[in-house]
Amino acid sequence: MSEHLAPYDSVQHRDETAIAGMWLFLASEILLFGGLFLIFVVYSHTRAAGWALGVRQTSLMIGGINTALLLSSSMLYTLGVESARNGNARAVLHAGLGAAGLGVAFLCLKGWEWHTELDEHLFPGPGFALGGPQAGGAQLFYSFYFLSTALHGLHMLVGIGLIAWVCLRVYRGRGTPLRVVPVEVVGLYWSFVDMVWVLLFPVLYLIGRV
């Protein structure tokens, strides 16, 4: 057995382990975000009026644009995975760079949204902009909002870094057989990040808005 395969029995064993490891990691992440969504279920019902007041302050336009950016990024990377299976390294590189670029655009737009909300004193705590009997519920919403978007943003940074790593491997490996599994493993992670945002978008921008 080659040294670079240790401690695996074969290339297939190594690749299957990598895929299984990513699925196990994603299962733990589902538990993390599942706890956040439990908070949403509880407080969006027990403090419904204040929660809805908070939702109405978010920028539906920015949320919608970011959703389109992330869905496009995920679709582009999925095309890259298919290109990897077909041995087209050039297409993988282009798809990865495009997906990462859209991810960076998402984070920049989200950062601008955060900046605007902080300027408007919508961060929960002393000086919170919203008053009245529903202020407590609105602060609960914004506590959930900033925590969930910060966690999602952190996961996006990791994902962009992983895509950059895949692109670097592909670029350096020009002229050699393309390894598909690293591209697929990162694709699983990026799809998970996309799925989390698809669930967060209606929670943060739509439910209770009308």
Side-chain angles (χ1 to χ4, degrees):
M1 181 177 64
S2 302
E3 288 185 5
H4 72 278
L5 285 177
Y8 308 107
D9 297 330
S10 63
V11 171
Q12 182 180 359
H13 182 210
R14 179 192 62 191
D15 292 347
E16 289 175 349
T17 301
I19 295 290
M22 178 53 75
W23 277 115
L24 183 61
F25 172 75
L26 293 181
S28 68
E29 292 294 287
I30 289 171
L31 293 176
L32 170 64
F33 282 100
L36 284 176
F37 284 109
L38 180 60
I39 293 173
F40 157 71
V41 170
V42 172
Y43 286 114
S44 65
H45 285 80
T46 59
R47 307 293 290 273
W51 193 276
L53 176 63
V55 171
R56 289 194 292 272
Q57 310 310 309
T58 59
S59 173
L60 184 58
M61 182 179 70
I62 293 179
I65 293 172
N66 263 347
T67 301
L69 286 174
L70 197 51
L71 287 173
S72 299
S73 176
S74 183
M75 180 184 69
L76 194 57
Y77 194 85
T78 299
L79 293 175
V81 172
E82 189 61 31
S83 296
R85 291 169 180 161
N86 294 328
N88 189 342
R90 185 182 182 88
V92 174
L93 187 59
H94 289 168
L97 291 174
L102 290 172
V104 169
F106 176 102
L107 289 177
C108 290
L109 199 53
K110 191 66 202 171
W112 173 255
E113 186 179 14
W114 265 34
H115 174 73
T116 302
E117 288 158 346
L118 293 175
D119 279 351
E120 294 174 353
H121 303 288
L122 290 173
F123 191 84
F128 187 66
L130 303 178
Q134 306 306 330
Q139 289 203 57
L140 282 173
F141 167 79
Y142 268 101
S143 297
F144 174 85
Y145 170 88
F146 281 109
L147 176 59
S148 60
T149 53
L151 277 174
H152 181 260
L154 179 61
H155 282 74
M156 283 206 64
L157 283 173
V158 172
I160 291 168
L162 288 172
I163 293 174
W165 170 75
V166 165
C167 290
L168 185 61
R169 282 178 59 95
V170 172
Y171 180 78
R172 287 180 172 175
R174 289 172 299 173
T176 62
L178 179 65
R179 276 198 64 198
V180 178
V181 170
V183 184
E184 291 180 335
V185 168
V186 172
L188 287 174
Y189 180 86
W190 197 240
S191 295
F192 170 78
V193 172
D194 179 33
M195 180 193 71
V196 169
W197 181 257
V198 167
L199 293 175
L200 280 176
F201 173 67
V203 169
L204 300 177
Y205 295 93
L206 298 179
I207 298 176
R209 194 172 199 95
V210 179

